[in-house]
Amino acid sequence: TQHPDNAIDLNNFIGREDKIEVKTNAPGQEKTIDSNHTTGFKSRYNGILEAGFYLRTQIHSIGMLDTYFISGRQWTQHFYCGLGTGLHYIYDPGKAIIPLFLDMRYYFSDKKITPILITDFGINFDTQNSLETGIMAKLALGLRFMVSPKSALNLSLGYEIQQTSQRGYVQKNNGAVGLALGFSF
């Protein structure tokens, strides 16, 4: 015979989602987690299309237009890492270069609108064999606007450096400040 307090009612288990209550040492900070999922976030692929216009910081220089495709992984709710390529069109001297770079992003929260920190580092390839190209780097701050659970618009303001030189001339670092608009999917 079983004591009535130890009896198991199987009707409680049918069609019920199990929840686990996690208690911390701080009072009032209990969380309920679905036992089928340890957290609400899963690492996943994330592509980014981005275009930007940058005004160069040197005198007598107009600027450059950037278009990027970045393919990477959202590793945590806050950290993204991917490889990117695209096209930089430098208005003066009217040349196009192709970058290959590592893109890292830090999202400060998982809310619908959140600040982001963006860093890019890589190398450039000349498309017309008239420039000697070198490294490229970018540091930007921006905002991510979630438009669905898996897609977002990104707006950023940043500083980008392109290391280039024309054949026979002194190598220089071309710095530029500009805006970029992107779409994550």
Side-chain angles (χ1 to χ4, degrees), residues 41 74-80 105-110:
F41 179 81
Q74 183 79 34
W75 293 100
T76 69
Q77 289 178 339
H78 300 286
F79 181 69
Y80 170 86
R105 295 169 186 244
Y106 182 81
Y107 301 99
F108 288 90
S109 75
D110 59 351

Side-chain angles (χ1 to χ4, degrees), residues 41 44 46 48 74 76-80 105-118 141-156 180-185:
F41 179 81
R44 66 176 186 86
N46 193 348
I48 300 172
Q74 183 79 34
T76 69
Q77 289 178 339
H78 300 286
F79 181 69
Y80 170 86
R105 295 169 186 244
Y106 182 81
Y107 301 99
F108 288 90
S109 75
D110 59 351
K111 295 180 180 176
K112 281 192 148 220
I113 300 175
T114 185
I116 56 176
L117 175 66
I118 303 166
L141 288 172
L143 288 174
R144 176 182 69 180
F145 303 92
M146 295 299 293
V147 293
S148 77
K150 293 186 178 181
S151 61
L153 290 174
N154 303 309
L155 179 65
S156 63
L181 178 64
F183 179 71
S184 302
F185 54 93

Side-chain angles (χ1 to χ4, degrees), residues 85-146:
T85 189
L87 183 68
H88 294 297
Y89 181 77
I90 302 171
Y91 288 105
D92 179 21
K95 306 287 184 187
I97 53 179
I98 297 173
L100 180 61
F101 59 93
L102 177 68
D103 179 85
M104 292 183 290
R105 295 169 186 244
Y106 182 81
Y107 301 99
F108 288 90
S109 75
D110 59 351
K111 295 180 180 176
K112 281 192 148 220
I113 300 175
T114 185
I116 56 176
L117 175 66
I118 303 166
T119 60
D120 293 342
F121 187 77
I123 57 173
N124 290 315
F125 298 97
D126 182 16
T127 60
Q128 299 163 340
N129 205 22
S130 61
L131 291 175
E132 293 178 7
T133 56
I135 64 168
M136 62 84 66
K138 179 171 89 171
L139 180 63
L141 288 172
L143 288 174
R144 176 182 69 180
F145 303 92
M146 295 299 293

Side-chain angles (χ1 to χ4, degrees), residues 12 17 21 24 39-40 71 79 90 92 105 124 134 152 155 157 159:
N12 286 337
E17 288 187 26
E21 190 171 296
T24 61
T39 65
S71 180
F79 181 69
I90 302 171
D92 179 21
R105 295 169 186 244
N124 290 315
L155 179 65
L157 173 66
Y159 183 75

Side-chain angles (χ1 to χ4, degrees), residues 30-72:
E30 294 82 15
K31 294 181 181 178
T32 303
I33 299 173
D34 182 352
S35 65
N36 297 325
H37 302 86
T38 55
T39 65
F41 179 81
K42 288 185 180 181
S43 176
R44 66 176 186 86
Y45 169 81
N46 193 348
I48 300 172
L49 294 172
E50 190 171 87
F53 181 75
Y54 288 80
L55 295 173
R56 293 185 39 200
T57 56
Q58 287 80 18
I59 299 174
H60 308 298
S61 182
I62 298 172
M64 63 184 166
L65 180 65
D66 290 345
T67 57
Y68 292 143
F69 172 69
I70 304 163
S71 180

